[in-house]
Amino acid sequence: MTLTRFLIGALPGTAALLIGIGMARFGYTPLIPALIQDGWLQASEAVYLGATNLAGYLFGSMLSYRLATRFGPGLMVRIALALTTLSFAVCALPLGFWWFVPWRFMAGFTGAVLMIVALPIILGRMPLNRRARASGVVFTGVGIGVAASGSLVPSLAAFSVSAVWLGMALVAGSLSLITWASWGAAPTPTATAEEKSGKLLTRPVVLLLLAYGFDSFGFVPHTVFWVDFVARGLGRGLAEGGFYWVCFGVGALCGPISAGFIAEKLGFHRALIIAFLLKSFGIFLPLLSTSVPALMLSPFLAGAFAPGISAILSGRVAELVGLTHHRQVWGWMTVAVGAAQAGGGYGLSYLFTLNHSYMLQFLIGGTALAIGAVLVALSGSKPQAAT
């Protein structure tokens, strides 16, 4: 496969995750201070709305596999792209907290659909020796969305909050139209006899499910509170908060491709352990220092291994159960993510309303990532299936 064909095959997936995760989820984080300062939402409402998006992601992750099986994966990707774009557009109306709740829930739901359904379509079109790299390229969409939101949201918010939502709707709609034709008939992998008869819920898979849940719970503080921590907690303002969110985006942009190369060199298992440990350190870092270098490095590491861990883990899942069962098991993994994020989002938001302590959030998050690293180490490194 030539480089051109490789990129053409992978970039629709990049656009899908840019829209569904990079913008629909992470694009909200730098918008929180503006929503509060402009009187659209109270502080407690803004953080609970972030948790509502995570709840939508949980429900989407539970239903995506069934929906894709019934209606076809390509159609579900197209529906998810259209509904995500719509959710941005209608949020441009300042109609209060309860107006936003169903739309932010839907954006979380469609984000899960794009994560679970789009990625296996892309991997199914790639040769075996290019899947780790392809997964990395696809997950750069998350980083591009985060980096763009960190720079564009403060700029557009200077005009109005409505301008931010409409700007995201314009970008999402344009990318959806450009990649629309790519989501035709999805390839159907052929299962080997070993894959058909093999048990899916093995000990390594269970341990990785738990580890992914701890990972997702562990970086909730950065995805919900980071910009607000810099802007209001440290008193440095929205523009500087946006700058440090761009650091998260730069990390998310570099992380997946780097993770793909590391996984090719060291194997998925070792690469996962390294990724969990580095991400844990990034979450802990604000407890040690709030200097400029620390405030840049912390979101960079968290951002790099947010999609980076997902990219490596996706490859590890294919290695364990085969590509035929990848969508089903990856759906389980995403359910674990959704449950951890929704529970963490609401739980940590409630904890924040009680004590307003950002540092406690980072302590809890870093500890969760460290536990995840231990679970990955215990999962074993031997591949169990290949396609």
Side-chain angles (χ1 to χ4, degrees), residues 25-26 139 142-143 146 215-224 226 244-256 274-286 293-310 341 362 365-366 369:
R25 178 183 168 191
F26 293 125
F139 275 95
V142 178
V146 174
D215 164 58
S216 303
F217 177 88
F219 80 108
V220 165
H222 269 59
T223 59
V224 175
W226 182 256
Y244 289 116
W245 189 243
V246 171
C247 294
F248 185 100
V250 172
L253 182 60
C254 300
I274 293 170
F276 268 82
L277 291 175
L278 288 174
K279 190 174 179 182
S280 177
F281 174 73
I283 302 297
F284 275 132
L285 193 53
L295 291 177
M296 294 176 67
L297 182 59
S298 176
F300 178 84
L301 289 175
F305 294 107
I309 283 177
S310 297
Q341 289 178 350
F362 301 138
L369 263 297

Side-chain angles (χ1 to χ4, degrees), residues 14 16 96 98 130 153 172 298 339:
T14 305
W98 291 108
R130 288 289 181 266
V153 166
S298 176

Side-chain angles (χ1 to χ4, degrees), residues 131-294:
R131 286 178 190 164
R133 198 169 301 182
S135 184
V137 172
V138 169
F139 275 95
T140 59
V142 178
I144 295 170
V146 174
S149 66
S151 56
L152 293 178
V153 166
S155 300
L156 292 175
F159 295 95
S160 69
V161 173
S162 294
V164 178
W165 290 114
L166 292 175
M168 289 195 288
L170 178 62
V171 172
S174 299
L175 290 175
S176 298
L177 289 175
I178 291 170
T179 61
W180 196 261
S182 302
W183 304 111
T188 303
T190 302
T192 64
E194 180 183 2
E195 289 179 70
K196 290 178 180 178
S197 61
K199 179 183 177 182
L200 296 183
L201 204 61
T202 59
R203 179 177 176 275
V205 169
V206 171
L207 288 172
L208 290 177
L209 276 166
L210 293 173
Y212 203 23
F214 276 102
D215 164 58
S216 303
F217 177 88
F219 80 108
V220 165
H222 269 59
T223 59
V224 175
F225 298 104
W226 182 256
V227 176
D228 197 45
F229 164 63
V230 175
R232 297 194 307 130
L234 299 180
R236 301 191 180 189
L238 179 58
E240 195 165 342
F243 167 76
Y244 289 116
W245 189 243
V246 171
C247 294
F248 185 100
V250 172
L253 182 60
C254 300
I257 294 180
S258 300
F261 280 106
I262 293 171
E264 285 185 359
K265 298 294 183 182
L266 301 180
F268 291 111
H269 178 70
R270 291 180 181 177
L272 265 181
I273 295 173
I274 293 170
F276 268 82
L277 291 175
L278 288 174
K279 190 174 179 182
S280 177
F281 174 73
I283 302 297
F284 275 132
L285 193 53
L287 298 170
L288 305 176
S289 174
T290 56
S291 65
V292 170

